[in-house]
Amino acid sequence: MQLERLIEINNEELISIMEFMFGISVSSLLLNSKYYSEYNSDFEDLSFCVFSDDFSSIVLFLIYRINDKLTLDESGARIFVRENSHQDSMKTALKHIDSIFCAEHINFIHISNYLQNGNLSKIDNMLLAQGYSSRLIFDMSVSSREYDLDLYHSSIRKSYKSLINWGRKNISISYVNEKNLDKQAFDSFRSFHRKVSNKVTRSLESWDIQYDMISRGYGELSLGYKDGDLVTGILALRHLNMIFYAVGVHERELFKYGLSHYILYDAVSRNLSNTNNPSFLLGYYDTTVKDKKTSSINFFKKGFCPNLKPLIVWYKEK
């Protein structure tokens, strides 16, 4: 078995197989990594792939070190295993992860995986045997393979529908995407973010990376205007094999009218209309979160996601 870091893989056949088998884009993953390196002061992309010479066995492990924690996003690191991969490839991957976790400056590791027909996968059982603890969180995603637009509209939280209707009547939306690039409009969103936050929260370079992602077809910015003024915006970007609700900014004085409801509904609906984007991910619902602001945001998002998908999180703490 061979092991290579994702940032160092240059075998086009291996990249092509991974992209086809796992529905991911390696170039978008590398851009995400570049973004997080700008966003976090202490960051390292430790993602790697274990594979056999003939690529019949492939284990892709997507994992970042952020400060003293090993994860990928709020759900944890992610594992992709080619069907019928040899168990040795999984053992090699987990042994490598264990060696990283043993480093003196790392205190947490979180790894997540979807249940398979309600059952643990082979690699889940290996994590269980290695003494990982576990808990469940819930994927808030809407799949274009499960819903048409009429069905989706009927499934969202009832109280949202009048708010969406208000937004439809009062908000006009424009889009920045691969086919309609507009750096000036994108920069207006960045300025709007600073205005609503009342501070600069991250570097100009991190915004430029996100615009680069849009220009390469890995995302779309939706901008909502009322009476000619920018009052709401959502940036949706490629994440793994989904489109992810990455940034949302809304004029606080108008929030009660539903402008955030309408623009998010529009963004999800546009994704459902595009079968090239199999799912729109709103985030992860974690019932253990105690922060009231985070819980409130998750409850808001949950109203747009009729079915929650369980995700098991394996973790160790020193």
Side-chain angles (χ1 to χ4, degrees):
M1 293 294 169
Q2 300 183 51
L3 188 154
E4 286 190 36
R5 290 183 63 177
L6 184 63
I7 58 175
E8 297 172 350
I9 293 176
N10 54 23
N11 187 302
E12 293 298 329
E13 183 181 1
L14 175 59
I15 291 173
S16 178
I17 291 172
M18 288 194 298
E19 292 187 333
F20 176 76
M21 293 296 303
F22 306 139
I24 61 170
S25 164
V26 171
S27 58
S28 74
L29 288 172
L30 296 178
L31 282 172
N32 270 311
S33 174
K34 189 177 178 182
Y35 165 77
Y36 279 111
S37 68
E38 284 292 337
Y39 187 81
N40 298 282
S41 58
D42 189 10
F43 171 88
E44 186 177 8
D45 187 345
L46 298 171
S47 301
F48 65 93
C49 182
V50 175
F51 55 94
S52 58
D53 291 340
D54 62 357
F55 305 139
S56 60
S57 290
I58 299 176
V59 178
L60 176 63
F61 218 119
L62 301 177
I63 188 165
Y64 298 152
R65 180 185 60 79
I66 303 175
N67 300 318
D68 64 342
K69 184 176 181 179
L70 294 175
T71 187
L72 180 73
D73 56 23
E74 58 186 301
S75 73
R78 294 293 299 277
I79 310 170
F80 294 84
V81 181
R82 184 171 190 174
E83 190 175 0
N84 298 320
S85 288
H86 198 279
Q87 193 157 327
D88 283 352
S89 61
M90 298 178 231
K91 288 181 179 179
T92 300
L94 293 182
K95 184 177 180 180
H96 183 66
I97 281 297
D98 191 56
S99 68
I100 296 173
F101 179 62
C102 288
E104 186 175 325
H105 61 287
I106 294 175
N107 295 314
F108 305 88
I109 181 169
H110 291 185
I111 302 168
S112 64
N113 204 12
Y114 291 98
L115 297 173
Q116 297 182 352
N117 299 318
N119 300 314
L120 297 181
S121 68
K122 288 182 180 179
I123 207 156
D124 287 322
N125 279 301
M126 293 169 73
L127 291 167
L128 179 64
Q130 289 186 9
Y132 278 76
S133 299
S134 64
R135 60 188 176 88
L136 282 180
I137 61 173
F138 301 92
D139 164 319
M140 293 186 288
S141 62
V142 184
S143 171
S144 61
R145 294 168 183 163
E146 296 174 0
Y147 299 103
D148 59 31
L149 293 180
D150 291 337
L151 181 59
Y152 176 62
H153 185 270
S154 67
S155 70
I156 62 175
R157 190 174 291 152
K158 185 179 292 187
S159 61
Y160 285 6
K161 293 176 183 177
S162 62
L163 298 172
I164 290 170
N165 288 336
W166 181 91
R168 186 180 284 113
K169 293 175 183 177
N170 292 277
I171 304 296
S172 61
I173 300 180
S174 65
Y175 308 97
V176 180
N177 51 44
E178 182 184 21
K179 296 180 179 179
N180 185 41
L181 292 175
D182 189 334
K183 188 61 163 59
Q184 186 175 351
F186 182 85
D187 287 342
S188 72
F189 178 67
R190 176 172 56 84
S191 299
F192 182 53
H193 184 278
R194 181 180 60 211
K195 172 195 165 188
V196 172
S197 302
N198 206 26
K199 61 182 177 180
V200 175
T201 61
R202 53 190 174 89
S203 69
L204 177 61
E205 288 79 7
S206 71
W207 287 100
D208 287 341
I209 292 167
Q210 289 182 325
Y211 185 75
D212 188 24
M213 293 177 75
I214 290 174
S215 70
R216 298 191 191 195
Y218 299 137
E220 180 176 75
L221 174 64
S222 303
L223 298 172
Y225 299 86
K226 185 177 186 299
D227 301 325
D229 296 323
L230 178 60
V231 295
T232 183
I234 282 180
L235 177 60
L237 297 171
R238 179 72 177 262
H239 178 63
L240 303 178
N241 51 359
M242 298 175 281
I243 300 297
F244 178 56
Y245 175 18
V247 184
V249 187
H250 318 286
E251 190 67 69
R252 290 195 175 100
E253 294 179 1
L254 297 174
F255 193 83
K256 61 183 179 181
Y257 294 111
L259 51 83
S260 59
H261 298 72
Y262 173 55
I263 198 167
L264 181 53
Y265 171 76
D266 179 78
V268 176
S269 297
R270 283 173 66 82
N271 181 76
L272 294 179
S273 300
N274 185 353
T275 55
N276 290 325
N277 301 330
S279 295
F280 191 101
L281 178 63
L282 294 156
Y284 302 95
Y285 199 101
D286 187 344
T287 59
T288 66
V289 170
K290 304 300 182 184
D291 180 72
K292 289 185 177 180
K293 181 179 179 182
T294 302
S295 295
S296 177
I297 292 171
N298 282 340
F299 180 77
F300 163 71
K301 292 177 180 178
K302 183 177 176 292
F304 292 92
C305 182
N307 294 316
L308 301 186
K309 191 175 180 181
L311 191 67
I312 190 164
V313 178
W314 301 98
Y315 63 92
K316 281 185 180 181
E317 300 181 13
K318 290 180 181 175

